[in-house]
């Protein structure tokens, strides 16, 4: 399988699919297509050759092309059922699907105001955004509520590491860069994620980018 991703420092959608492939030791080749500056537009040209949607991530598995991060994770969960990419427990599996879908379709303020930039120290900007945007504070409240629903306080969102955790990993990167305030319980989940080997590998990759 080939997974097309953007720059590790910036591409939050790529991070989700890559974490799932890495955390579950799936057989894949990573192809980084760096976001390009105008005027050469080589990112758009490269990705549009792969799919008209022209975005990352995209997964090529033989004849099959999957071009959306959630669809990629769903595809992988079906393709490798023995790996339990979603939890084995039925209730936790429903929760994992719901909170992954919620991340996929919501939290627009957080996404728009606090773009992922792993290497940057944006704490000053973060303090201003936090003070000015009630919508951002409300979205973070909902995220904290989701995280507080994990089965064990020292564990992952739905038990073992799953697709759901991969979906919330970019939020953790944003919280760090922008210094957004968090409850102690949420900080605990954040530490669990920051010490996961796949998250550490992605962050190292981001830091190594020029
Ligand atoms: N809903 C899509 C969003 C993908 C997306 O917006 N990717 C961004 C990078 S993180 C992208 O490729 N942007 C380039 C562009 O829009 O030209 C997914 O989940 O995969």
């Amino acid at each position: 399988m080939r997974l097309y991703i953007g720059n590790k420092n910036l591409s939050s959608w790529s991070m989700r699919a890559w974490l799932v492939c890495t955390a579950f030791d799936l057989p894949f080749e990573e192809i980084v297509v760096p976001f390009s500056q105008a005027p050469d537009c080589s990112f758009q040209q490269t990705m549009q050759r792969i799919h008209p949607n022209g975005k990352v991530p995209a997964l090529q598995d033989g004849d099959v092309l999957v071009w959306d991060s959630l669809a990629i994770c769903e595809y992988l969960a079906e393709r490798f059922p023995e790996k339990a990419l979603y939890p084995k427990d039925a209730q936790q599996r429903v929760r994992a699907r719901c909170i992954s879908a919620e991340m996929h379709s919501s939290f627009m303020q957080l996404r728009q105001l606090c773009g992922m930039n792993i290497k940057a120290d944006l704490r000053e900007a973060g303090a201003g955004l936090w003070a000015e945007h009630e919508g951002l504070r409300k979205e973070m409240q909902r995220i904290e509520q989701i995280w507080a629903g994990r089965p064990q306080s020292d564990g992952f969102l739905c038990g073992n590491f799953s697709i759901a955790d991969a979906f919330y990993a970019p939020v953790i990167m944003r919280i760090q860069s922008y210094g957004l305030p968090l409850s102690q319980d949420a900080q605990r989940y954040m530490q669990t994620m920051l010490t996961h080997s796949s998250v550490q590998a992605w962050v190292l990759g981001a830091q190594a980018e020029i």
Side-chain angles (χ1 to χ4, degrees), residues 23-196:
F24 290 95
D25 204 17
L26 305 183
F28 82 108
E29 179 193 354
E30 129 188 342
I31 299 176
V32 180
V33 184
F35 298 124
S36 42
Q37 313 285 332
D40 80 332
C41 294
S42 57
F43 172 85
Q44 274 88 355
Q45 282 168 13
T46 306
M47 287 315 297
Q48 274 169 7
R49 270 199 299 271
I50 291 157
H51 188 269
N53 170 271
K55 292 188 194 260
V56 284
L59 180 82
Q60 182 90 58
D61 183 15
D63 290 347
V64 178
L65 182 71
V66 198
W67 64 88
D68 173 271
S69 58
L70 186 54
I72 291 171
C73 293
E74 290 287 342
Y75 174 79
L76 293 171
E78 267 185 28
R79 170 99 156 69
F80 300 97
E82 72 287 358
K83 299 258 186 182
L85 273 53
Y86 277 125
K88 285 193 174 139
D89 176 83
Q91 262 194 349
Q92 289 302 330
R93 196 161 60 247
V94 167
R95 174 174 143 82
R97 281 210 158 93
C98 288
I99 63 180
S100 302
E102 188 169 343
M103 174 45 72
H104 205 51
S105 59
S106 318
F107 307 116
M108 298 307 171
Q109 296 263 310
L110 177 65
R111 278 195 212 153
Q112 282 162 14
L113 297 170
C114 307
M116 189 172 94
N117 189 338
I118 293 174
K119 288 197 277 189
D121 179 351
L122 299 162
R123 284 176 292 182
E124 214 176 302
L129 292 167
W130 187 258
E132 280 164 36
H133 295 273
E134 193 192 351
L136 176 64
R137 297 195 296 274
K138 279 196 173 145
E139 287 182 0
M140 282 305 301
Q141 234 173 26
R142 172 62 190 142
I143 287 172
E144 288 223 14
Q145 196 178 44
I146 290 170
W147 292 0
R150 65 200 187 281
Q152 283 167 347
S153 63
D154 59 351
F156 292 99
L157 290 179
C158 305
N160 293 331
F161 184 94
S162 75
I163 287 172
D165 300 288
F167 265 71
Y168 284 81
V171 172
I172 287 167
M173 300 296 116
R174 292 172 153 119
I175 291 170
Q176 262 202 330
S177 302
Y178 291 84
L180 304 182
L182 272 190
S183 69
Q184 277 198 344
D185 180 63
Q187 284 180 37
R188 196 152 182 203
Y189 173 62
M190 185 160 154
Q191 282 316 312
T192 302
M193 284 293 282
L194 288 172
T195 51
H196 191 272

